[in-house]
Amino acid sequence: MICDDRASVENRRRRAIITGIRGQDACLLGRLLQSAGWEVLGIDRQGYPEEGTVFRVFSLDLGNSQETERLVADYQPDCIFHLAAAHHSSEQNGDLSLDCEMVRTNFNVAEVLLRAITRRCRHARLLLAGSSQMYQPCGSGVNVIDETTPCAPSTFYGHTKAWSRSLLDHYRRQRGVFGSMVILFNHESPLRAPNFLARKVTMAAARAFMGQPTALRLRNVGAAIDFSSAEDVVQGMHLALAAKEPTDYVLASGRATRIDELLDLAFGVVGLDWRAHTQIEDRSKSNLPTLVGDATQARKVLGWKIRETLPELILRMVSHDVKLLGGLLPQRN
């Protein structure tokens, strides 16, 4: 087990534990904290993260409350970022084994960490990652979500996140834990897993540029989504735990982007028409309700801001995916 010289706690570098270190957000946050001089310990059940990751990694099943408490007690972190999450795609909806894993990772582990902080490391601050799926779209227009919007989960994943938020609020009010939740909408980077929509699109554009089959199938290009840069979002996570008081923050662009707009951006980078490289089930304009986040509180309290626009982000992602395929985009003036 990791040990700490308690006499030198006040003089050591700041320490962070980040769960789910294989994931996009955890990896980006770890890099951000390391660049700011933090000591970062990543947690992963299977041990070491992807090749090229430089974080110190500890293999641990966070659902084991005794082992998790021991780690927190010995390591004495200043901040814990619980970014590990279990979720499923629409095709897997209704899988009871995945539902159980979502309860375990998204809710039970949050409870274990809150208890570990309360009992073994009172100075530690905890951040939980929330989701726009804690809210149910309604009507036919744009639904604006802020921190005061009542939770009405649209998925089982959303339920587990809403339960965690309620538990966090209890520990915050009743036990004095410094805990915050960031309510996240879609946020992307070149590290995004290839089963997520934006990365599917940028990879398809890259394949089309390289003359490879795209195999991109989409249900409805009229649906709209709130997209942000993952690098901007993890900056907000850092700021949330550096704040004077704990509370919850929406981190989002506040703008709904239609899927056909996203396709225009990605395929525009490589000078191609996406219509020639995709299979669309429904090309009509969607009348489905859309969720967008209102990040006013994060901007006012934390000084958080969007630093990368969606066109800049998509250009970076497509360039990355072209390079992965062995190609290179022409230089832009």
Side-chain angles (χ1 to χ4, degrees):
M1 185 60 64
I2 297 170
C3 295
D4 182 42
D5 180 3
R6 301 299 176 83
S8 64
V9 166
E10 295 299 323
N11 298 319
R12 62 166 168 76
R13 288 195 297 162
R14 289 170 294 177
R15 290 179 173 175
I17 290 176
I18 305 177
T19 72
I21 199 62
R22 288 177 182 265
Q24 166 190 260
D25 294 358
C27 185
L28 292 173
L29 177 64
R31 292 175 184 175
L32 173 66
L33 294 179
Q34 281 190 328
S35 69
W38 286 61
E39 180 181 319
V40 176
L41 178 65
I43 304 297
D44 184 86
R45 272 192 288 179
Q46 299 179 359
Y48 294 97
E50 298 298 330
E51 188 175 330
T53 301
V54 297
F55 311 124
R56 188 181 180 193
V57 177
F58 195 79
S59 179
L60 178 69
D61 179 358
L62 289 161
N64 185 322
S65 59
Q66 290 184 330
E67 290 298 312
T68 299
E69 281 198 28
R70 190 176 304 146
L71 172 67
V72 170
D74 287 353
Y75 192 65
Q76 290 292 295
D78 298 287
C79 293
I80 301 175
F81 298 86
H82 181 37
L83 305 185
H87 53 82
H88 54 45
S89 66
S90 58
E91 289 80 8
Q92 296 170 305
N93 198 26
D95 186 323
L96 290 179
S97 65
L98 286 171
D99 285 357
C100 290
E101 180 60 23
M102 283 190 282
V103 172
R104 193 199 77 84
T105 304
N106 305 343
F107 178 72
N108 291 345
V109 170
E111 190 277 330
V112 168
L113 291 170
L114 284 162
R115 183 158 23 102
I117 289 172
T118 302
R119 296 177 58 180
R120 311 298 292 271
C121 189
R122 292 290 302 181
H123 74 276
R125 298 181 172 197
L126 176 67
L127 182 130
L128 299 182
S131 170
S132 61
Q133 292 184 39
M134 298 189 301
Y135 306 93
Q136 179 72 54
C138 59
S140 59
V142 174
N143 295 216
V144 179
I145 304 299
D146 66 15
E147 297 80 7
T148 66
T149 305
C151 286
S154 58
T155 62
F156 188 77
Y157 173 80
H159 278 287
T160 62
K161 291 293 187 177
W163 300 336
S164 298
R165 186 185 186 191
S166 179
L167 183 68
L168 177 69
D169 185 59
H170 169 78
Y171 270 81
R172 192 162 53 199
R173 290 184 292 104
Q174 300 298 324
R175 302 188 184 278
V177 171
F178 191 114
S180 297
M181 174 175 275
V182 285
I183 301 165
L184 306 177
F185 289 67
N186 289 57
H187 50 289
E188 318 298 332
S189 81
L191 295 182
R192 187 62 133 164
N195 58 316
F196 285 86
L197 174 63
R199 188 73 192 285
K200 284 182 181 180
V201 168
T202 61
M203 291 178 71
R207 290 193 199 98
F209 176 75
M210 296 296 292
Q212 300 179 9
T214 61
L216 180 61
R217 296 178 176 85
L218 298 172
R219 292 182 180 178
N220 189 332
V221 296
I225 296 172
D226 186 327
F227 290 107
S228 297
S229 163
E231 283 85 353
D232 287 344
V233 166
V234 300
Q235 176 69 30
M237 294 178 181
H238 184 199
L239 292 171
L241 288 197
K244 291 183 179 180
E245 300 294 335
T247 189
D248 301 335
Y249 298 96
V250 169
L251 300 178
S253 74
R255 179 183 184 276
T257 298
R258 283 167 45 104
I259 304 306
D260 52 7
E261 293 179 289
L262 182 69
L263 290 161
D264 285 339
L265 287 174
F267 280 82
V269 169
V270 296
L272 296 173
D273 186 344
W274 58 266
R275 295 164 187 82
H277 300 276
T278 57
Q279 297 180 25
I280 309 299
E281 294 181 10
D282 183 2
R283 294 178 182 272
S284 64
K285 183 175 180 179
S286 174
N287 60 357
L288 296 174
T290 299
L291 292 179
V292 300
D294 179 357
T296 299
Q297 178 162 277
R299 290 194 298 270
K300 288 184 176 180
V301 177
L302 304 178
W304 182 72
K305 59 184 178 182
I306 301 271
R307 296 174 297 178
E308 185 174 38
T309 66
L310 185 59
E312 292 169 339
L313 171 63
I314 296 304
L315 170 61
R316 184 163 61 91
M317 291 175 67
V318 173
S319 299
H320 172 271
D321 289 339
V322 167
K323 190 175 295 185
L324 281 181
L325 296 174
L328 187 66
L329 290 178
Q331 292 288 335
R332 293 193 167 198
N333 296 327

